[in-house]
Amino acid sequence: MEEIYAKFVSQKISKTRWRPLSSGSLQTAETFATGSWDNEENYVSLWSIGDLGNVDSDGGFEGDHQLLCDIRHHGDVMDLQFFDQERIVAASSTGCVTVFLHHPNNQTLSVSQQWTTAHYHAGPGSPSCSSAPCTGVVCNSPEIVTVGEDGRINLFRADYKEAIKTIDNADSSTLHAVTFLRTPEILTVNSIGQLKIWDFRQQGNEPSQILSLTGDRAPLHCVDRHPNQQHVVATGGQDGMLSIWDVRQGTMPVSLLKAHEAEMWEVHFHPSNPDHLFTCSEDGSLWHWDASTDVPEKSSLFHQGGRSSTFLSHSISNQTNVHQSLISSWLSTDPARDRIEITSLLPSRTLSVNSLDVLGPCLVCGTDAEAIYVTRQLFS
Amino acid sequence: MRGRSTAAPAGSRAANICGPERSRRLWCGAMEELDGEPTVTLIPGVNSQKKQMCFDWGPGEMLVCETSFNKKEKSEMVPGCPYIHIIRKDIDVYCKILRKLFNESHGIFVGLQRIEEEFTGKSRKAQLVRVSKNYRSVIRACMEEMHQLASKDFVTSGMFSISILSAMELIWNLCEILFIEVAPAGPLLLHLLDWVRLHVCEVDSLSADVLGSENPSKHQDFWKLVTILVLQGRLDEARQMLSKEADASPTSAGMCRVLGDLMRTMPVLSPGNTQTLTELELKWQHWHEECERHLQDGTFASSPHLESLCKIMLGDEAALLEQKELLSNWYHFLVTRLLYSCPTVKPMDLHCYAQSSLDLFLGGESSAEPLDNILLAAFEFDIHQVIKECSIALSNWWFVAHLTDLLDHCKLLQSHNLYFGSNMREFLLLEYASGLFAHHSLWQLGVDYFDHCPELGRVSLELHIERIPLSTEQKALKVLRVCEQRQMTEQVRSICKILAMKAVRNNRLGSALSWSIRAKDAAFATLVSDRFLRDYCERGCFSDLDLIDNLGPAMMLSDRLTFLGKYREFHRLYGEKRFVDAASLLLSLMTSQIAPRSFWMTLLTDALPLLEQKQVIFSAEQTYELMRCLEDLISERPAHGEPDAQQLQDDDIETTKVEMLRIGLARNLARSIIKEGSLDGS
């Protein structure tokens, strides 16, 4: 973790996302998108970490990321997802959802599709509606699902002007994030500590399952699903806790891990190496969680330092006939056998780290201190 | 007027005045002297000859508008200026490249505040010097970025130029040498030489130009280069150049060698050397005399170039002043003069040399610029004067705030107190942070600056944080986190209340309830609970069950909320056909007085289906209590004065309800007495 490049970009970064690699390609990640927030003018921008820095000799030292192109975005960028290699879906605080198209030939971005009032409040007694921020978006070509502060869930298709399906009042509180569980099921987290599973095949606006934190119902801000084991889900909450859930059983998290000191804004399993998990937080830290069990003597912060962890006794012993390697290291409840090593990735505390993304050996994150950090040697 | 107009919301227009005008005047007022006339800002569209204006202070800006007041009573109605203007004082905050400076230096600032605990003694000084260098490298990075933009022919934001940044770096560097490094005689000059070299950058390009040519010594700028090298004390390089000249023209080879030897033998203090200052001074004196002898002997008489170089090396003022153009400024002149006439200058003697160098260099032709005064004040070790002059000359607070803070950490400002507010460090930091808060997005940086102002930081933060617009919940959460970390309960309550109100207005009752629970705002929770109950009465079903069913301990926040939760629980029990539990819960809601009276009729009506069940659910005792509740309720009914048609109809329904309840209760009482009697009997 020696080489982590920082670049100050004069705008607060709310989201960072790697462009997906074309299937079968051998190259590593080299392009990422960012969205800004809380500026008078907000932008969706594309950056390259390729060898452009060398070509453009006065443009900076090697490894620095260079701006490819950007486009004005109305309102804060609340969420950002690549739809495919060329298209980026952005969620706005104005309730608008926009699909941007990247033209690699002349390095420009353009709007290819827009749903301007995807999220809105219907005020009491007044037919006119005011916009509500869209807080989360997830793509699974050709579908796009968005959630918002209005508690609404929208299902769009990239090529349709109208929403395919809308669930009004899906949630009484604010929906903070959404992810696909397995088509056509999605999973949302809200501001009262609940995780809800929705099945688009079902009629009506009731979730098919509700899981929730007990106790003080701390709001959940982010959610990610294990790339291989679709029943394993990680969420991060307002109190900085990392919760691991097994959606097949129980209504409570399998384990609660005390992590950051403030809101956990994002959690991501490593897409191809899911024993590794990454989290970032309002407290300005970015953590790498390593739950791989191949190094037995690995020391753990949990057991040495002051960090306490609470493993809820939620036994999975009835699963012992499952082949050992198939049990996710995240679901294990035996703290003696499995240890998690945590590394802090940023050199010094800064303002809130709002977003991160991992792809292969590369990681990118963006902060309120208007810096973008990139590393290309995650596992070195 | 320097400044720019920006579009501000609600049809108003913004004008900016440059410079920390208001505070400067405050400062001067306190010191009872004025450092120059305040600049006049003209508000576009307002005719100040004819119209009166009014204004109001804001935390970081000022509102100005035209009034309809008129001195002459019967004047023609001149159409006025329909705008409200926002006057901002710290406009450099709006420069895009400077945002990098603000953000990056914020990190350094926060790190510096932690130094206090971590380091002491010598390592502490090393840390402070490192911090100072970090600040400077941030300034330099910004300069580079501006250079790049300028070279790419971008339209820069005109307000802030590279020259101001480079002046800032120049001043900072000098302050670093004099106040932080506190170099003693000897090393002091070496530092000053580095300082001059760093800020005169054309040498390297010139040197590359000359050395790159086919015949360097015949290059038109050859002697210029050699002179510059000597002026900057880069004697090794100068010697190499001379040897090229010696190779090229055998006639002057001898002279070049002599001068080269003089250059080589000049005694200098090297960092690793242990020789004392006295030894150095003695050696230097010998060397100086040798130079003088060569000059007197006319060794270089046949070459005016070499002779002038030798004169420079003797510290000859006239010879130095001849090179005015190459020296380019008085402080270069000062350092070169010191190098060749008094290399072991003591810090305390600097200011005489500085003053005389300035006078000699300007020669009465031009007067000193603000930058000259600042540097002069630094050479005089007058820190307060430096800061004051910088405050006046520079159009932003960034520089003075950070420099003062750093010097304060060097324990250089302890004794100084202002006549107002807190000490100078805090005053400047507060001004800078207020400027950040006035900016649309830089407010997060300001928080940490306020945190490190022990006296007035907290109140300032409280005032500013409430004024941040809460456009999304995400932003609100960030503001809330700032307040919660600092136990600013009043602000937390107010933010949650704003969000709860917003949610109510948007008909998001669940959200509103969550926010009032977070703020522990009982009154508002009651209000929202009432809305829920009203909606229930109207629609006959509950909304937002996911929230109400999961209230948990939060239910105890207000009585009404408890009732809402319990009442919903009654419905759930009823739905699950747990009638006995449901019945006793329903009764306890009334007997424990949790249920508002206005809701009792609804509760009693809810009891009806339970009374009509096949099996007996309410015991005889419970039935008596229900009857008492009903009679209490009826007896409290106020008699209406003159009932209208609608009210008559309502009363009619009410009477029927009461009748039905009475019948139901009576029948249930009978059944329960029989059942209890027979059970007892069995």
Side-chain angles (χ1 to χ4, degrees):
Chain A
M1 277 322 304
E2 282 146 39
E3 296 198 56
I4 183 152
Y5 294 103
K7 188 181 179 109
F8 287 85
V9 293
S10 293
Q11 47 186 343
K12 291 204 253 189
I13 299 298
S14 57
K15 289 291 159 187
T16 54
R17 295 286 178 257
W18 288 111
R19 182 166 77 184
L21 300 173
S22 51
S23 53
S25 101
L26 290 173
Q27 51 183 170
T28 55
E30 60 176 23
T31 310
F32 64 88
T34 61
S36 73
W37 81 286
D38 203 26
N39 295 307
E40 274 169 303
E41 290 181 0
N42 289 294
Y43 290 90
V44 168
S45 318
L46 269 182
W47 306 78
S48 170
I49 60 160
D51 291 329
L52 273 176
N54 295 337
V55 178
D56 183 15
S57 57
D58 59 42
F61 50 94
E62 191 189 359
D64 205 353
H65 33 283
Q66 303 295 319
L67 181 68
L68 288 178
C69 51
D70 58 9
I71 188 168
R72 270 288 297 275
H73 180 266
H74 193 53
D76 294 349
V77 177
M78 301 292 285
D79 201 0
L80 200 65
Q81 295 292 340
F82 272 93
F83 181 79
D84 52 26
Q85 291 219 289
E86 278 84 41
R87 281 178 285 184
I88 312 165
V89 186
S92 165
S93 60
T94 61
C96 174
V97 177
T98 314
V99 182
F100 293 105
L101 182 63
H102 176 223
H103 309 275
N105 297 333
N106 54 359
Q107 289 300 0
T108 52
L109 283 166
S110 66
V111 176
S112 86
Q113 175 71 281
Q114 200 164 43
W115 298 280
T116 42
T117 49
H119 291 275
Y120 58 91
H121 291 299
S126 66
S128 68
C129 50
S130 62
S131 65
C134 174
T135 52
V137 56
V138 66
C139 305
N140 187 6
S141 188
E143 287 167 340
I144 300 168
V145 178
T146 66
V147 296
E149 275 186 21
D150 54 356
R152 188 175 275 110
I153 301 176
N154 286 312
L155 174 65
F156 296 108
R157 286 173 84 102
D159 39 359
Y160 280 57
K161 194 77 203 110
E162 299 298 321
I164 303 294
K165 185 170 172 136
T166 295
I167 306 176
D168 287 325
N169 270 324
D171 204 303
S172 61
S173 49
T174 298
L175 287 170
H176 280 146
V178 58
T179 190
F180 271 102
L181 194 57
R182 46 191 171 251
T183 8
E185 283 183 322
I186 60 156
L187 208 148
T188 60
V189 290
N190 67 12
S191 64
I192 52 172
Q194 293 171 334
L195 205 139
K196 295 183 182 177
I197 299 173
W198 307 82
D199 190 336
F200 281 123
R201 289 166 301 195
Q202 283 178 7
Q203 293 301 311
N205 57 357
E206 292 301 316
S208 57
Q209 197 183 342
I210 299 183
L211 298 91
S212 69
L213 292 170
T214 48
D216 51 356
R217 314 168 308 118
L220 293 174
H221 287 298
C222 51
V223 58
D224 195 29
R225 190 206 62 194
H226 194 287
N228 310 329
Q229 291 153 323
Q230 297 180 327
H231 55 279
V232 180
V233 167
T235 63
Q238 178 148 297
D239 45 6
M241 291 273 242
L242 173 69
S243 320
I244 308 287
W245 311 69
D246 183 347
V247 296
R248 294 173 310 186
Q249 49 185 317
T251 57
M252 290 192 307
V254 177
S255 56
L256 280 169
L257 304 169
K258 189 149 175 49
H260 299 280
E261 284 158 26
E263 286 87 352
M264 186 188 290
W265 291 127
E266 280 195 20
V267 55
H268 288 280
F269 285 103
H270 192 281
S272 54
N273 206 349
D275 279 347
H276 297 262
L277 185 106
F278 299 85
T279 60
C280 63
S281 159
E282 175 73 20
D283 68 7
S285 55
L286 170 68
W287 285 7
H288 173 183
W289 305 64
D290 182 356
S292 53
T293 50
D294 52 339
V295 189
E297 76 275 48
K298 191 169 277 172
S299 68
S300 162
L301 272 176
F302 288 145
H303 307 288
Q304 291 184 339
R307 283 184 210 296
S308 61
S309 61
T310 322
F311 288 92
L312 293 190
S313 54
H314 204 287
S315 175
I316 52 159
S317 55
N318 53 347
Q319 305 268 320
T320 39
N321 52 348
V322 180
H323 193 275
Q324 196 68 20
S325 66
L326 281 181
I327 299 179
S328 167
S329 43
W330 297 106
L331 287 185
S332 159
T333 52
D334 178 9
R337 189 175 60 87
D338 298 301
R339 295 178 168 195
I340 302 174
E341 191 181 31
I342 305 172
T343 329
S344 178
L345 295 185
L346 290 186
S348 61
R349 271 297 159 86
T350 80
L351 293 182
S352 171
V353 183
N354 292 327
S355 178
L356 75 97
D357 199 19
V358 272
L359 184 63
C362 303
L363 178 143
V364 59
C365 74
T367 71
D368 274 345
E370 307 186 347
I372 299 174
Y373 293 88
V374 173
T375 179
R376 288 195 267 186
Q377 286 120 358
L378 261 188
F379 302 112
S380 64
Chain B
M1 177 201 139
R2 284 186 293 166
R4 63 170 185 158
S5 283
T6 53
S12 62
R13 269 154 78 193
N16 300 293
I17 54 168
C18 205
E21 205 56 56
R22 167 173 66 111
S23 319
R24 187 196 306 166
R25 240 172 290 157
L26 270 175
W27 192 343
C28 298
M31 291 182 168
E32 291 181 353
E33 57 178 280
L34 211 64
D35 297 298
E37 282 303 303
T39 49
V40 175
T41 303
L42 292 175
I43 311 293
V46 175
N47 186 345
S48 53
Q49 304 292 312
K50 287 193 177 147
K51 290 286 184 177
Q52 301 277 321
M53 300 184 68
C54 65
F55 73 96
D56 192 24
W57 292 120
E61 50 223 332
M62 180 166 105
L63 290 179
V64 173
C65 68
E66 211 177 86
T67 62
S68 48
F69 177 79
N70 209 322
K71 272 181 269 181
K72 293 161 237 147
E73 281 127 69
K74 282 181 231 135
S75 73
E76 73 286 15
M77 285 297 287
V78 188
C81 174
Y83 297 112
I84 296 174
H85 293 84
I86 303 169
I87 313 283
R88 289 171 175 157
K89 56 181 176 128
D90 200 355
I91 52 162
D92 289 340
V93 166
Y94 299 89
C95 171
K96 213 176 159 192
I97 292 175
L98 286 190
R99 279 177 74 161
K100 298 180 190 195
L101 178 74
F102 300 143
N103 274 291
E104 218 171 337
S105 57
H106 165 261
I108 302 173
F109 173 83
V110 173
L112 172 60
Q113 311 307 311
R114 282 200 285 263
I115 270 188
E116 210 66 53
E117 309 102 61
E118 290 171 27
F119 299 97
T120 48
K122 226 183 171 82
S123 67
R124 183 189 157 89
K125 186 177 142 188
Q127 285 300 317
L128 289 169
V129 171
R130 196 181 50 82
V131 167
S132 175
K133 289 198 165 127
N134 285 346
Y135 276 129
R136 283 201 290 122
S137 76
V138 176
I139 303 178
R140 292 200 86 88
C142 267
M143 280 161 65
E144 248 164 56
E145 174 118 14
M146 282 195 172
H147 268 300
Q148 262 176 40
L149 278 188
S151 67
K152 282 180 188 164
D153 222 357
F154 274 84
V155 185
T156 44
S157 52
M159 289 176 294
F160 208 81
S161 63
I162 304 166
S163 63
I164 297 178
L165 272 178
S166 97
M168 281 177 9
E169 211 265 338
L170 179 82
I171 300 166
W172 192 299
N173 196 352
L174 184 62
C175 290
E176 179 184 310
I177 294 168
L178 297 178
F179 305 138
I180 304 169
E181 196 103 54
V182 206
L188 174 65
L189 189 72
L190 297 181
H191 282 297
L192 289 176
L193 267 177
D194 285 338
W195 174 61
V196 161
R197 285 173 194 159
L198 193 62
H199 293 93
V200 184
C201 9
E202 59 179 303
V203 191
D204 293 320
S205 59
L206 186 67
S207 164
D209 202 22
V210 171
L211 287 174
S213 71
E214 233 168 73
N215 194 348
S217 63
K218 292 285 174 288
H219 193 280
Q220 53 172 355
D221 285 335
F222 176 78
W223 287 108
K224 181 180 169 190
L225 176 63
V226 179
T227 314
I228 291 176
L229 288 174
V230 173
L231 288 175
Q232 291 194 12
R234 294 158 78 162
L235 294 181
D236 284 341
E237 290 161 77
R239 211 151 46 82
Q240 280 163 16
M241 300 302 285
L242 280 187
S243 69
K244 287 201 193 316
E245 162 72 6
D247 293 345
S249 56
T251 46
S252 61
M255 286 187 288
C256 285
R257 210 186 51 247
V258 174
L259 194 64
D261 280 343
L262 284 177
M263 287 175 176
R264 189 170 49 79
T265 52
M266 177 176 169
V268 281
L269 193 77
S270 52
N273 210 327
T274 52
Q275 66 180 338
T276 63
L277 272 190
T278 342
E279 278 173 354
L280 181 76
E281 265 166 16
L282 210 66
K283 279 190 198 162
W284 189 83
Q285 207 58 45
H286 280 300
W287 173 82
H288 193 77
E289 279 160 16
E290 199 186 334
C291 289
E292 200 142 18
R293 202 166 49 245
H294 278 295
L295 195 65
Q296 245 126 55
D297 294 352
T299 314
F300 310 113
S302 58
S303 164
H305 285 301
L306 291 178
E307 186 165 34
S308 107
L309 285 181
C310 184
K311 277 183 180 167
I312 291 173
M313 285 163 65
L314 275 167
D316 185 291
E317 273 162 23
L320 279 172
L321 284 173
E322 268 172 37
Q323 309 298 338
K324 227 177 192 176
E325 234 166 86
L326 296 184
L327 285 166
S328 72
N329 48 52
W330 68 272
Y331 43 91
H332 191 345
F333 170 59
L334 163 72
V335 175
T336 310
R337 187 179 159 209
L338 287 173
L339 174 69
Y340 294 118
S341 62
C342 183
T344 56
V345 63
K346 294 188 188 64
M348 281 310 126
D349 299 332
L350 266 181
H351 79 271
C352 328
Y353 286 105
Q355 185 66 57
S356 67
S357 298
L358 176 64
D359 293 344
L360 279 172
F361 195 83
L362 295 183
E365 288 163 31
S366 52
S367 55
E369 301 269 315
L371 177 63
D372 302 329
N373 290 331
I374 295 168
L375 295 177
L376 210 54
F379 282 123
E380 284 168 20
F381 286 86
D382 188 346
I383 295 178
H384 298 113
Q385 189 65 24
V386 172
I387 291 165
K388 187 173 149 187
E389 298 268 355
C390 288
S391 306
I392 294 169
L394 297 170
S395 56
N396 68 74
W397 290 109
W398 179 88
F399 181 79
V400 275
H402 285 85
L403 183 63
T404 310
D405 173 61
L406 181 61
L407 295 176
D408 188 65
H409 277 88
C410 300
K411 313 242 184 283
L412 289 169
L413 293 168
Q414 247 86 12
S415 62
H416 193 81
N417 276 308
L418 297 180
Y419 299 95
F420 52 92
S422 180
N423 59 22
M424 185 160 67
R425 167 186 175 270
E426 179 157 334
F427 172 79
L428 294 172
L429 286 179
L430 287 174
E431 284 295 330
Y432 174 62
S434 310
L436 292 177
F437 261 91
H439 188 272
H440 185 268
S441 3
L442 293 174
W443 58 274
Q444 278 171 306
L445 299 178
V447 174
D448 282 311
Y449 288 94
F450 281 138
D451 275 352
H452 291 102
C453 295
E455 214 161 313
L456 298 169
R458 167 113 185 171
V459 273
S460 309
L461 181 59
E462 283 171 1
L463 283 175
H464 279 99
I465 203 99
E466 282 185 333
R467 289 169 166 79
I468 293 176
L470 307 171
S471 45
T472 65
E473 281 192 15
Q474 172 124 347
K475 185 168 178 184
L477 286 172
K478 283 174 183 275
V479 179
L480 262 182
R481 176 61 65 179
V482 168
C483 297
E484 280 175 347
Q485 274 168 350
R486 288 155 186 82
Q487 278 93 42
M488 291 158 58
T489 38
E490 201 46 54
Q491 283 68 31
V492 170
R493 276 174 61 96
S494 116
I495 291 166
C496 288
K497 190 145 201 164
I498 291 168
L499 291 165
M501 275 311 291
K502 238 186 202 171
V504 167
R505 231 176 287 131
N506 289 327
N507 234 354
R508 301 275 304 151
L509 294 186
S511 218
L513 193 54
S514 303
W515 284 116
S516 40
I517 289 172
R518 180 154 181 188
K520 304 204 170 31
D521 186 340
F524 206 81
T526 303
L527 193 129
V528 178
S529 307
D530 277 340
R531 277 283 300 270
F532 268 114
L533 293 170
R534 206 179 72 206
D535 284 3
Y536 168 75
C537 290
E538 280 168 11
R539 280 189 259 149
C541 66
F542 278 107
S543 58
D544 301 335
L545 286 179
D546 49 354
L547 174 66
I548 300 171
D549 282 345
N550 290 289
L551 281 173
M555 201 193 281
M556 310 310 283
L557 181 61
S558 90
D559 278 355
R560 201 58 48 83
L561 185 58
T562 317
F563 171 66
L564 175 67
K566 289 289 173 194
Y567 185 52
R568 162 60 195 159
E569 198 178 323
F570 160 75
H571 278 268
R572 214 180 54 228
L573 291 172
Y574 187 85
E576 289 165 7
K577 299 215 185 306
R578 291 162 62 187
F579 295 131
V580 180
D581 293 339
S584 64
L585 178 60
L586 186 69
L587 187 60
S588 72
L589 283 178
M590 281 182 285
T591 52
S592 66
Q593 306 288 333
I594 289 177
R597 276 290 159 113
S598 58
F599 216 77
W600 279 29
M601 195 41 104
T602 316
L603 294 179
L604 287 166
T605 318
D606 283 333
L608 257 182
L610 288 169
L611 294 169
E612 302 296 331
Q613 289 291 327
K614 271 207 185 91
Q615 75 270 39
V616 182
I617 290 161
F618 285 104
S619 69
E621 200 178 329
Q622 285 178 319
T623 319
Y624 282 127
E625 291 204 55
L626 277 177
M627 291 167 114
R628 208 188 60 232
C629 290
L630 180 62
E631 295 315 314
D632 280 0
L633 191 63
I634 292 167
S635 64
E636 276 172 22
R637 283 284 153 86
H640 296 298
E642 284 172 37
D644 57 17
Q646 178 63 37
Q647 204 144 34
L648 280 173
Q649 200 187 346
D650 283 354
D651 283 352
D652 225 28
I653 297 170
E654 203 71 30
T655 319
T656 323
K657 248 189 210 168
V658 172
E659 286 307 317
M660 279 170 70
L661 271 169
R662 282 190 174 137
I663 294 170
L665 285 167
R667 283 196 358 221
N668 192 70
L669 184 61
R671 283 161 67 198
S672 61
I673 289 173
I674 293 169
K675 188 186 163 206
E676 280 159 32
S678 60
L679 273 177
D680 284 343
S682 64

